[in-house]
Structures are given as C-alpha cells and as structure tokens.
Amino acid sequence: MKIEAKNLVRTFQRYAALNGVSVTAEDGELLALLGPSGSGKTTLLRLIAGLDYPDSGSILFDDQDATRLRIQKRRVGFVFQHYALFRHMTVFQNIAFGLDVMPRRMRPPKTRMREKVGELLRLVQLPGYENRFPHQLSGGQRQRVALVRALAINPRILLLDEPFGALDAKVRKELRGWSNSCSRS
Amino acid sequence: MAAIAVPCNLVFGLAAAWAVAKFSFPGKSILVSLIDLPFAVSPAIAGLIYVLVFGARGWLGPVLETYNIKIIFAVPGIVLATIFVTFPFVARELIPLMQAQGTEEEEAALSLGANGWQIFWRVTLPNVRWGLLYGIILCNARAMGEFGAVSVVSGHIRGLTNTIPLHVEILYNEYDFVAAFAMASLLALLALATLVIKSLVELRMRLVEHRSTQGSAAV
C-alpha cells in the first residue's frame, strides 16, 4: 500500500516536532527514516499509525485521505521502541491479542488461532515459546515477539520504531537480514 | 459499613487514578487536590459538612424530609462519611503505579484493534491488580476504624447506627470496661488480620516487581 504524508505539522506546547514534513512510500517499498534523536521520527510514525493526529497536513493511504481515520480502521502494525509487550500475558496471549479482540463474527476459532501463532513463532525461530512470559525472554526474543504480534493482524503497513535500538550488534545484524528478506517475500 | 464504602471507593479510586495517570485534561491538578482533600481535612469537619448539607436544618434537609429519606443519624450518613474519609487510599496507591507503567501497552493494544473497554479490562486492570488489592486493604482498614466523621453523623443509636469504634467509646463512657475492652480487642483482631493480609500482598507485589525488573535488566 502506498503511503503519502503531506506537509505534516505537529506541535507539542510551543515546540514543533514536525514542521511541514512530506514523505512518500510506494507499495512494497522498505523505507527507513534516519535522523538524530528528537528529530521527529517517532512523531511521524505515530501520526501514520493513528496514535496521534497532526495539527495540519494530511496522510493518504493509496490516495485516500486517512488523516482522521481511527487507528482501529487503519490496519497498521506498530512495533514500539520498547516493544510494549503485555507483561501479564504469555507469548501466545500477546500474539493472539489482536485476533482475540476482534468482533465475534470476524474472530478466528481457537484452533485456527493456535495454528497461526505457532506458524508465526516458527517464522521468527521461536517455536514452542507459547507459554513463556515476556520477562523470561531476552531482548532479541522480545523484539521478535513484538514483531509477530504486529504481523498477526495482517496489517497493510508495518511500522517499526527504532527496531534495533535496544539490541547488541550481533542480534541487530541477524534481525536486519531477517526483516529484509521478510519485506521482500 | 466497610462492605458498602470499600466497593464504592474501589470504583471511584480506579476511575480517578485512570483519568489522572493516563490522560491530560484541563482541571487535572484540581482533581488531584480533591483526591488528597480527605487527608488534609479533619474527619470531624467532614462529618459536620455532611450535617450541614443533609441534616434536618441543612441545605437539603427539607427536600429529604418531604421524600422521607434519612441520611444523618442513619446508615447512609455513616456510609457517606466513610467513603469521604477513605477516598484517597485506592487512588493514591494506583496513580504512581499507573504513571510508572506509562501508556505504551495501552497504545499497543489500540494499534492491535482493541476498543477502550477491552483495553481497560485486558491490559490496564490486570497490570495494577496487586496495587489495587493493596489499596482496597488499606481502605478497608481505615473504613473499619474510622471514628471522627462517623461519630458526628451517626447519632450513636445502638444496634442501628453504631460502628465498632463508636460502640467502644459508649461502653467506655458507661464504665463498662469489660465490654469496652472486649469490643476493642475484636477491632484490634480485625486490624491484625488486615495487617497479615496486607503483608502477604506486599510480599507478592515485591515478587512481581522483582520479576519484571530482573526481566528488563536483561535487555
């Protein structure tokens, strides 16, 4: 899906986090935002995800205005900087959360959910981790759980906020290679 | 009394803490001050305010009388006084906890398509359950022992509007020392039981905290 941001402005108190930012990402494109901390990368991602709204400017998904669209309708996967895994839930419950909160008529049956979570965990090389809690995982493992949790709802866009920030160089390299191959497929 | 006052404050405290910790809105600092008000005001004054508002010669007294509703010198008055005095416990316990946890998990739930109700029941509430229990216990302890405010509004009608602390005072003033000390011991036992439960919850909370800090240290 094509994402287009036009002249986005977002001000916090008097500080302008974004001041007339325009970006376009083509369908299937893998786009990285680079910049020093405090330059507004997170703010831009939050506006695209629908966690926050711009003061002015517009966001288009496939040429349709999505600026004021509610986050639940955007079908955007968001991986947070600190993962934001639900700490009181197991890995399975974390990944299945997005499916579990669907309206009853759209919700897949339990067996299908179990299959899907198993599939996703194999994809990120964490098979059999369903019953672990987030605090029992390493940083890199948490990251991958956060990633497949966002993928479980079949998002149209996947947004990653500082996806490799909190990881050591070795794990970072592994994951970068993996996410490249993932976006190509 | 505690049986009615504690659930009320559970709901009020949870709602207030949620509003204060997770949202910013105009008048927030006023709400925070209002939460603390019962700590600052003497319970006896709180009781007198209730008399002023609901008493026979109070502002709402004539209205209440026409509908034959009794608040002062009746059970509703005691419950209202207890609610006021114990109001801060649950909210005060939860606000720092909720602030420390931030809104990231709620936002994650939002991005996964959950609605407000689902976020509250599945994410916010489970994350504060031990703190909430702790607040309830403190609230309950205070509700059982409250004397000042309740003394003003209850009217000391034995068997009808008497609480244990008030009964202790009456018996003591009547020089019925054996009965007074018996009642006092009963209250003390209840307090001890509350303390034991409180320590158990504290232990459990520390274990949970230990677990999560250990986890984040590994990142």
Side-chain angles (χ1 to χ4, degrees):
Chain A
M1 191 177 69
K2 186 174 154 194
I3 312 165
E4 223 178 330
K6 284 184 190 162
N7 294 317
L8 289 179
V9 176
R10 179 71 176 104
T11 317
F12 297 108
Q13 268 95 45
R14 254 172 298 145
Y15 173 73
L18 295 178
N19 199 353
V21 173
S22 302
V23 201
T24 308
E26 295 298 331
D27 188 33
E29 188 182 341
L30 181 67
L31 184 76
L33 299 169
L34 299 179
S37 69
S39 60
K41 304 183 293 292
T42 299
T43 309
L44 179 59
L45 287 181
R46 289 173 61 88
L47 293 183
I48 295 172
L51 286 166
D52 195 6
Y53 297 98
D55 300 327
S56 68
S58 55
I59 296 163
L60 307 175
F61 288 171
D62 277 339
D63 300 316
Q64 291 197 338
D65 187 46
T67 317
R68 298 274 144 193
L69 197 64
R70 283 173 54 217
I71 184 168
Q72 289 94 340
K73 308 247 161 182
R74 294 195 191 197
R75 287 202 24 232
V76 164
F78 199 105
V79 179
F80 291 79
Q81 190 167 357
H82 303 292
Y83 319 137
L85 292 176
F86 306 123
R87 70 194 91 182
H88 61 283
M89 295 185 201
T90 61
V91 167
F92 175 83
Q93 290 168 322
N94 262 282
I95 298 173
F97 185 86
L99 305 171
D100 214 26
V101 295
M102 283 180 177
R104 195 175 291 272
R105 65 202 148 72
M106 289 163 64
R107 196 185 309 158
K110 271 261 141 40
T111 47
R112 176 77 198 100
M113 264 191 234
R114 211 161 280 284
E115 269 169 40
K116 175 141 194 186
V117 171
E119 238 167 69
L120 286 164
L121 281 174
R122 269 194 301 282
L123 181 75
V124 289
Q125 287 156 34
L126 290 172
Y129 275 64
E130 277 94 342
N131 295 323
R132 304 274 190 106
F133 280 92
H135 63 87
Q136 296 168 319
L137 302 177
S138 73
Q141 292 172 330
R142 273 183 226 178
Q143 161 112 56
R144 283 177 273 166
V145 172
L147 189 67
V148 289
R149 181 179 69 174
L151 287 174
I153 55 168
N154 292 326
R156 300 185 293 175
I157 324 163
L158 185 62
L159 301 168
L160 306 138
D161 188 9
E162 298 267 358
F164 309 128
L167 303 175
D168 63 68
K170 186 172 165 284
V171 184
R172 208 182 292 187
K173 217 175 209 169
E174 256 176 49
L175 276 170
R176 205 181 295 143
W178 178 84
S179 63
N180 268 327
S181 64
C182 183
S183 78
R184 251 180 255 120
S185 63
Chain B
M1 300 310 124
I4 307 171
V6 173
C8 284
N9 271 334
L10 166 63
V11 175
F12 294 156
L14 197 57
W18 193 55
V20 168
K22 306 278 178 178
F23 301 95
S24 68
F25 50 89
K28 184 165 145 176
S29 56
I30 297 176
L31 180 61
V32 175
S33 317
L34 277 179
I35 291 171
D36 284 337
L37 190 69
F39 277 154
V41 172
S42 157
I45 296 173
L48 282 173
I49 293 170
Y50 276 118
V51 174
L52 187 68
V53 175
F54 298 115
R57 265 171 275 166
W59 297 332
L60 297 178
V63 183
L64 292 172
E65 209 164 342
T66 50
Y67 292 103
N68 212 5
I69 302 169
K70 279 192 77 126
I71 291 184
I72 300 303
F73 306 139
V75 175
I78 302 178
V79 171
L80 280 174
T82 311
I83 287 177
F84 177 80
V85 172
T86 58
F87 180 72
F89 288 99
V90 172
R92 268 286 147 218
E93 186 61 38
L94 290 185
I95 288 170
L97 189 64
M98 283 183 165
Q99 275 171 342
Q101 288 177 346
T103 51
E104 260 207 338
E105 285 184 44
E106 277 83 2
E107 287 188 335
L110 198 62
S111 78
L112 291 168
N115 61 35
W117 200 238
Q118 289 169 323
I119 294 175
F120 181 76
W121 284 107
R122 290 170 179 236
V123 179
T124 309
L125 199 59
N127 269 337
V128 297
R129 54 179 187 244
W130 291 108
L132 188 65
L133 191 57
Y134 188 64
I136 293 171
I137 291 166
L138 285 180
C139 186
N140 182 52
R142 183 67 200 265
M144 284 192 309
E146 174 53 27
F147 182 83
V150 170
S151 170
V152 175
V153 296
S154 86
H156 302 255
I157 305 166
R158 221 171 290 197
L160 276 179
T161 65
N162 228 353
T163 65
I164 297 180
L166 296 184
H167 202 61
V168 172
E169 194 216 13
I170 294 177
L171 292 171
Y172 187 77
N173 286 344
E174 287 170 350
Y175 305 103
D176 193 350
F177 292 124
V178 178
F181 279 105
M183 282 308 269
S185 314
L186 179 64
L187 190 59
L189 270 179
L190 281 172
L192 278 176
T194 314
L195 269 178
V196 169
I197 298 170
K198 191 197 83 151
S199 324
L200 285 177
V201 171
E202 259 177 357
L203 194 72
R204 180 67 223 240
M205 261 167 85
R206 218 170 303 145
L207 278 177
V208 171
E209 230 163 74
H210 182 64
R211 229 169 46 177
S212 60
T213 49
Q214 228 185 11
S216 57
V219 173

